[in-house]
Amino acid sequence: MLTVTDLSVSYGAISALGGISFSIPQGSIVTLIGGNGAGKTTTLRTISGLLRAKTGKIEFLGEDITKLPAHKIVARGLSHVPEGRMIFSNLTVDENLAMGAYLLHDKELLAKNREYVFSVFPRLNERIKQMAGTLSGGEQQMLAIGRALMGSPKFLMLDEPSLGIAPRLISTIFEKIVEINRNHGITILLVEQNANLALEVSSSAYVLETGRIVMQGESKQLRTDPQLKATYLGG
Amino acid sequence: MSEFLQQLLNGLSLGAIYALIALGYTMVYGVLRFINFAHSDVFMVGAFIGYYMGKLVPEGTLWGGLAVLGAAMIGCALLGMTIERLAYRPLRSAPTLNVLITAIGVSLLLEYTGQVFFGAAPRNFPAIFPVRNFSLGNVIISSNQVIVIVVSVVLMVVLQLIVYRTKIGTAMRAVSLNPKAAILMGVNNDVVISFTFGLGSALAAAGGILYALNYPSIDPLMGVMPGLKAFVAAILGGIGNIPGAALGGLILGTVETFVSGSQFSTYKDAIAFAILIIILLFRPAGLLGKFTVEKV
Ligand SMILES: Nc1ncnc2c1ncn2[C@@H]1O[C@H](COP(=O)(O)OP(=O)(O)OP(=O)(O)O)[C@@H](O)[C@H]1O
Ligand SMILES: [Mg+2]
């Protein structure tokens, strides 16, 4: 579904990604793990068009999207739930969801997507008129994911959905991520520092270290890899 | 008492004009985080479009007046969008200071081009609307004041509906809260910014026509002082805040009118700015503004 070839990105003179390649098959959950500053966020932002690649190619559903402006990439069905959630704090939950469906012109589909989002996150329905900035961290993450689902995405990229959320809620969010993938057939690229959880829900994984992919394979196998265990899985 | 009511009425109608101009400053600040100094000159161009269009319709008719108003609003909306496209869009990733200096440049360009085309000498603005005076007891209401108040109230209600009830209005607010997140929703931010300039400039044009109806001598530098006052009004209300700009305009216009009717009339502008300083000392973010830390 998504193929990234030899992608490199730099911020001015600082190189953040040094030629990475990976591919994500349709219907799967793939995870990208790595420590602080490894380049995970940079990867997602380049795929969604917020950053420009220095070299390399990004193909989505067979189409080269490397040079497409970000709003056109969203229109292709690729949705990015950014790091730090970036909900619209002074808009209501309802208006945030409406923004998620900005490109949708089919009223029936919009109503269907709303129903679906509320079935996944009933909490959002209870808070519909509330200002998004007053939601709890976990609720804001639900809203960020719900907002992305409103646009009928084919492919969802999640940047550290566990960041700043109470441990109790993290497992709920991860269950929902799996549910979205299973029941709705949405392909997912999950970026996480919490490698344990990410390897549990994903089918395959890539490990990023200072802008390079240093390890890749099936999540099941990586979970027992001694080297990975030592670095990312807390022994 | 009747003198108080008379002054209040005069003040509110002046304030409504400041409010219309202030809305443009505040909306552009909302989406781009800079002060569009050329806005006051769009106001002036609005008055001049009104001057020339006024010659094409019979004087003193309601439909003629409304047609002139509409033409000026459309003309200035196009002007505002053109300025944004040519002068500001190429600087989208430049530091704010560069954009501010460009805005001052555009302002001077409009003022001096105006002097070349229209001449520097003031002209008499035609009475495009019917003129009558109504008296309520000792308070005299001129038809121009009624027009100012009705037109500004209608425009502000329409603006409110656009900003809070339409898709593009929600997108405007989203872009102003977090432009990157708006892009990720599929919003083309350039379209939203262009729309914002069009909307703000149309309101400035309406302000220009209404101002010229009440102070019927227009010249290419006429935008400077009302523009400055409206800018103060936008800051007073909390820059970026739409109801704040309307409130700031009304307060400033009212205070200015009361001061000019008193023995301190020569200090009216000084007092307007003194009020700004005092209010900002107590509420640094303006009356309705929220104090936010600039995100990088
Ligand atoms: N705007 C920027 N300007 C300059 N350097 C940047 C910028 N954003 C990121 N970097 C650098 O690029 C590298 C990769 O950053 P990135 O945010 O992609 O890491 P990450 O893997 O998402 O880390 P984290 O898990 O902490 O979010 C880091 O060295 C970072 O300092
Ligand atoms: Mg990151």
Side-chain angles (χ1 to χ4, degrees):
Chain A
M1 172 162 248
L2 182 85
T3 312
V4 170
T5 322
D6 193 31
L7 186 69
S8 59
V9 178
S10 48
Y11 296 99
I14 309 157
S15 160
L17 289 181
I20 62 167
S21 302
F22 59 91
S23 74
I24 295 166
Q26 183 131 18
S28 61
I29 300 184
V30 173
T31 185
L32 190 60
I33 51 186
N36 285 113
K40 306 180 297 295
T41 300
T42 305
T43 307
L44 296 199
R45 300 182 71 155
T46 312
I47 295 172
S48 62
L50 289 177
L51 285 175
R52 285 284 155 233
K54 201 171 71 185
T55 64
K57 193 168 169 190
I58 305 163
E59 278 171 289
F60 181 62
L61 295 170
E63 184 192 4
D64 184 353
I65 59 164
T66 322
K67 296 207 163 64
L68 229 50
H71 66 270
K72 292 199 174 145
I73 294 177
V74 189
R76 303 285 193 281
L78 191 161
S79 192
H80 176 184
V81 180
E83 185 175 55
R85 306 183 281 261
M86 290 201 193
I87 49 145
F88 301 112
S89 52
N90 272 0
L91 299 190
T92 63
V93 168
D94 208 11
E95 288 171 329
N96 268 272
L97 293 177
M99 281 309 295
Y102 187 76
L103 294 176
L104 223 60
H105 298 292
D106 180 345
K107 285 253 162 62
E108 260 171 55
L109 186 56
L110 200 147
K112 224 182 88 198
N113 287 354
R114 260 172 79 95
E115 285 301 305
Y116 177 62
V117 169
F118 292 150
S119 76
V120 180
F121 301 115
R123 188 79 67 89
L124 294 180
N125 200 3
E126 294 159 22
R127 304 283 150 106
I128 196 77
K129 290 287 165 225
Q130 194 171 323
M131 283 293 161
T134 64
L135 296 174
S136 77
E139 288 164 349
Q140 291 191 6
Q141 188 62 56
M142 294 177 193
L143 178 58
I145 299 174
R147 183 178 67 174
L149 291 176
M150 286 296 293
S152 302
K154 301 185 182 95
F155 179 61
L156 198 58
M157 302 194 295
L158 302 164
D159 196 344
E160 299 204 40
S162 69
L163 197 74
I165 292 176
R168 184 175 44 84
L169 264 178
I170 293 180
S171 52
T172 317
I173 300 255
F174 273 73
E175 277 164 29
K176 300 300 185 185
I177 292 171
V178 174
E179 185 185 323
I180 291 164
N181 172 256
R182 295 253 169 84
N183 304 349
H184 231 61
I186 297 175
T187 311
I188 290 174
L189 172 57
L190 173 66
V191 158
E192 263 301 333
Q193 285 208 36
N194 190 333
N196 266 320
L197 261 177
L199 290 176
E200 222 167 274
V201 299
S202 59
S203 54
S204 59
Y206 292 85
V207 182
L208 202 59
E209 225 168 71
T210 54
R212 293 185 185 282
I213 290 175
V214 293
M215 207 182 281
Q216 66 187 74
E218 276 182 42
S219 303
K220 255 192 300 211
Q221 279 162 5
L222 287 180
R223 266 207 308 252
T224 55
D225 186 286
Q227 200 190 335
L228 193 76
K229 255 187 172 166
T231 343
Y232 295 105
L233 304 177
Chain B
M1 187 62 199
S2 68
E3 196 196 339
F4 175 82
L5 286 177
Q6 182 73 61
Q7 288 291 68
L8 187 65
L9 181 73
N10 297 347
L12 288 177
S13 52
L14 177 63
I17 294 171
Y18 289 159
L20 286 178
I21 314 170
L23 286 165
Y25 280 112
T26 227
M27 286 194 294
V28 164
Y29 183 86
V31 292
L32 283 182
R33 296 290 184 274
F34 88 102
I35 303 297
N36 176 20
F37 285 111
H39 190 59
S40 57
D41 304 296
V42 173
F43 161 90
M44 171 274 291
V45 172
F48 272 93
I49 295 177
Y51 173 83
Y52 288 107
M53 291 302 291
K55 300 188 169 194
L56 303 180
V57 296
E59 272 196 21
T61 59
L62 189 61
W63 71 265
L66 289 176
V68 169
L69 182 70
M73 289 177 71
I74 292 169
C76 284
L78 294 175
L79 175 66
M81 288 158 87
T82 309
I83 292 173
E84 187 276 321
R85 180 71 191 83
L86 297 180
Y88 304 144
R89 193 176 300 179
L91 299 176
R92 204 71 99 215
S93 51
T96 308
L97 189 61
N98 301 19
V99 191
L100 278 177
I101 292 169
T102 306
I104 294 172
V106 174
S107 169
L108 293 174
L109 178 75
L110 287 175
E111 285 168 16
Y112 293 101
T113 313
Q115 295 199 340
V116 171
F117 280 104
F118 311 137
R123 300 173 184 227
N124 259 330
F125 194 77
I128 50 175
F129 282 103
V131 183
R132 274 186 60 189
N133 283 336
F134 309 94
S135 49
L136 281 177
N138 289 328
V139 181
I140 295 166
I141 308 176
S142 74
S143 54
N144 276 342
Q145 282 178 326
V146 175
I147 287 166
V148 168
I149 288 168
V150 171
V151 168
S152 359
V153 167
V154 167
L155 289 178
M156 283 186 222
V157 169
V158 169
L159 179 72
Q160 190 78 1
L161 291 176
I162 291 176
V163 172
Y164 287 94
R165 292 289 158 81
T166 66
K167 201 162 174 170
I168 184 97
T170 312
M172 258 173 78
R173 287 181 292 143
V175 169
S176 121
L177 287 168
N178 192 329
K180 287 229 171 71
I183 294 177
L184 291 179
M185 304 296 108
V187 175
N188 183 346
N189 287 15
D190 285 340
V191 169
V192 172
I193 289 166
S194 184
F195 178 79
T196 307
F197 269 85
L199 204 57
S201 303
L203 293 178
I209 300 282
L210 298 178
Y211 191 82
L213 281 177
N214 286 283
Y215 308 89
S217 157
I218 64 170
D219 69 86
L221 297 182
M222 68 178 276
V224 176
M225 222 34 209
L228 192 58
K229 300 270 178 57
F231 169 57
V232 168
I235 304 270
L236 196 62
I239 188 85
N241 183 301
I242 289 177
L247 180 67
L250 290 176
I251 292 178
L252 203 67
T254 310
V255 170
E256 185 183 321
T257 306
F258 274 102
V259 174
S260 22
S262 74
Q263 73 219 56
F264 304 109
S265 61
T266 38
Y267 301 111
K268 74 176 166 92
D269 294 337
I271 288 173
F273 294 109
I275 289 175
L276 172 76
I277 292 168
I278 291 167
I279 291 186
L280 292 186
L281 277 178
F282 290 100
R283 289 195 59 93
L287 290 171
L288 301 185
K290 290 202 188 69
F291 203 67
T292 51
V293 183
E294 286 278 304
K295 281 189 230 90
V296 201

